[in-house]
Amino acid sequence: MKGFYTALVASAITGTFAAPSPIEQGPITARAAAAACATPVTLSGNPFASRSIYANKEYSKEVVSAASAISDSSLASKALKVAEVGTFLWIDTISRISVVEDNLKDVGCDQIAALVIYDLPGRDCAAKASNGELAVGDIDTYKTKYIDPIVAIFKKYPNTAIALIIEPDSLPNLVTNIDLQTCKDSAQGYKDGVEYALKSLNLPNIAMYIDAGHGGWLGWNDNLKPGAKGLADVYKAAGSPKQVRGVATNVAGWNSYDLSPGEFSTATDAQWNKAQNEKLYVSLFSPELKSAGMPSQAIIDTGRNAVTGLRKEWGDWCNVNGAGFGVRPTGTTGNTLVDAFVWAKPGGESDGTSDSSATRYDSFCGKEDAFKPAPEAGTWNQAYFEMLVKNAKPAL
């Protein structure tokens, strides 16, 4: 196996490996040839229209290591291709900032770096699996030890295009889960933190997308207007930053882009949710955002949504069993409201542990439709990764 794997990587480096599409070019095939822009980048319009997403080194290293552990040569070959797919890099702790610069310095002029800002105080107020390092109320640390150092690094790379997803699960939780004491406690910090992030990261070479949940979350008829208002209020409190392009949907999610009828269209409560897929959700949410005074373009996470009909309920979010890698990242979506399909969640990294005795165990990770066993959130799950590769649509 080792000999096969060494040959596989070698062929990829020399170019005899199956050539990826431009959007997938990354560390194995394209990094050496990438040339940085000669002048500062100013992003306007769809930032993905003429740029491929840079395949960050951190995820690529995980995937290459995972491929080397697969004994089936055909599956290993497919798995290795994932290392070439541009996937978002999550900056989910202060210590993680240390990898940011190394993942900016090699981004070519025809590429865009893609990162997730994710470290709010009291993070993930409605779940336990991905609780963060900062306590409720620790907004000063978030600003000075997290956002400010990231901004300082970004300012060193004005010639590099950067796309950011801003704080998944934060503002949507304030719409649907505000009755929870944990979310009540976190609410002001979420608003202040996102406002500060939007203000501080408003640089010409950056395009920002604020997390907006998904169709099974803010897509309910009664959630559309308050959801849009919640996001728009923070956007306007930040001074309506020019580089906010719109929203990110289905981040780390499972919803189909355009399955019709939708996955839960026959549920008894379907009459109260017209957003039965992400295409419908964006079509419903975009005008509400515009009406509330906020840009309304979207990027949609298709990283793990290849297989539908796996979940028992909309809200089942943890390590869904039977999933597969979905449509590859592209700025060609056929939808004027959607800037790009992206891989926001690094496939293979766990959503949360299935160990019921763990401090961060969340009952959703023990549900019937959740893959088991599963390690702590963000930790690599080899078996789950191999499943994603096997079930990928289109096939890898």
Side-chain angles (χ1 to χ4, degrees):
M1 177 59 207
K2 184 178 180 182
F4 158 77
Y5 176 71
T6 302
L8 190 61
V9 174
S11 67
I13 293 172
T14 57
T16 58
F17 192 66
S21 68
I23 199 74
E24 295 173 352
Q25 289 187 352
I28 294 177
T29 56
R31 186 167 288 139
C37 292
T39 58
V41 170
T42 299
L43 295 181
S44 62
N46 183 358
F48 301 95
S50 59
R51 298 176 183 88
S52 62
I53 298 175
Y54 175 78
N56 75 77
K57 297 176 183 178
E58 313 315 307
Y59 184 56
S60 292
K61 285 186 288 190
E62 287 185 314
V63 171
V64 169
S65 176
S68 72
I70 299 174
S71 58
D72 181 323
S73 61
S74 175
L75 186 63
S77 175
K78 293 177 180 179
L80 194 59
K81 293 179 182 179
V82 177
E84 303 169 354
V85 180
T87 303
F88 274 70
L89 173 62
W90 290 58
I91 311 304
D92 55 358
T93 60
I94 290 170
S95 63
R96 187 71 164 168
I97 297 171
S98 64
V99 307
V100 171
E101 187 156 11
D102 194 40
N103 282 281
L104 291 179
K105 63 187 182 67
D106 295 323
V107 177
C109 196
D110 60 348
Q111 297 174 321
I112 185 166
L115 303 93
V116 179
I117 302 298
Y118 186 57
D119 201 24
L120 279 172
R123 191 178 73 194
D124 207 1
C125 66
K128 294 181 180 178
S130 49
N131 289 161
E133 63 184 351
L134 301 183
V136 171
D138 201 0
I139 190 66
D140 287 341
T141 300
Y142 178 79
K143 291 178 178 180
T144 62
K145 300 293 178 61
Y146 180 71
I147 293 296
D148 289 353
I150 292 174
V151 172
I153 294 170
F154 287 168
K155 286 183 175 178
K156 293 170 61 177
Y157 292 87
N159 295 14
T160 299
I162 301 170
L164 301 177
I165 294 174
I166 305 297
E167 295 293 352
D169 296 351
S170 57
L171 300 182
N173 266 324
L174 302 188
V175 177
T176 61
N177 292 308
I178 197 61
D179 288 342
L180 295 175
Q181 190 60 48
T182 49
C183 291
K184 289 179 182 178
D185 294 342
S186 298
Q188 195 58 50
Y190 283 11
K191 294 174 184 177
D192 293 347
V194 173
E195 176 186 333
Y196 187 81
L198 297 179
K199 281 182 180 177
S200 304
L201 295 163
N202 188 42
L203 303 173
N205 58 318
I206 292 177
M208 291 182 279
Y209 297 84
I210 305 171
D211 182 72
H214 55 75
W217 190 344
L218 296 186
W220 295 90
N221 300 353
D222 290 344
N223 292 343
L224 287 165
K225 284 186 183 296
K229 184 179 185 302
L231 270 63
D233 284 352
V234 175
Y235 163 76
K236 288 185 285 189
S240 301
K242 184 179 179 182
Q243 299 308 116
V244 173
R245 176 78 176 157
V247 297
T249 83
N250 206 40
V251 173
W254 315 95
N255 293 351
S256 168
Y257 170 63
D258 58 0
L259 179 69
S260 182
E263 187 172 356
F264 296 97
S265 60
T266 59
T268 56
D269 57 4
Q271 60 184 310
W272 294 294
N273 188 333
K274 298 183 181 71
Q276 288 290 320
N277 59 48
E278 292 303 287
K279 183 177 182 180
L280 287 170
Y281 175 45
V282 170
S283 72
L284 292 164
F285 199 58
S286 177
E288 296 294 350
L289 286 170
K290 284 184 179 179
S291 178
M294 183 182 144
S296 59
Q297 292 299 118
I299 57 174
I300 299 173
D301 188 356
T302 59
R304 303 184 299 177
N305 72 346
V307 185
T308 58
L310 302 172
R311 292 171 293 168
K312 302 296 183 184
E313 298 176 334
W314 271 116
D316 291 359
W317 53 264
C318 191
N319 302 317
V320 173
N321 196 11
F325 284 117
V327 171
R328 313 302 180 259
T330 177
T332 303
T333 66
N335 187 337
T336 57
L337 297 177
V338 180
D339 282 351
F341 301 134
V342 303
W343 283 15
K345 170 73 178 184
E349 293 183 5
S350 177
D351 294 318
T353 180
S354 59
D355 179 1
S356 59
S357 67
T359 301
R360 297 206 303 172
Y361 172 73
D362 189 290
S363 61
F364 277 88
C365 301
K367 283 197 158 194
E368 181 184 347
D369 53 14
F371 185 96
K372 307 172 195 70
E376 291 282 357
T379 305
W380 192 258
N381 188 336
Q382 180 71 17
Y384 198 87
F385 171 73
E386 292 181 20
M387 179 187 73
L388 290 172
V389 174
K390 291 175 183 175
N391 296 338
K393 294 179 184 179
L396 288 159

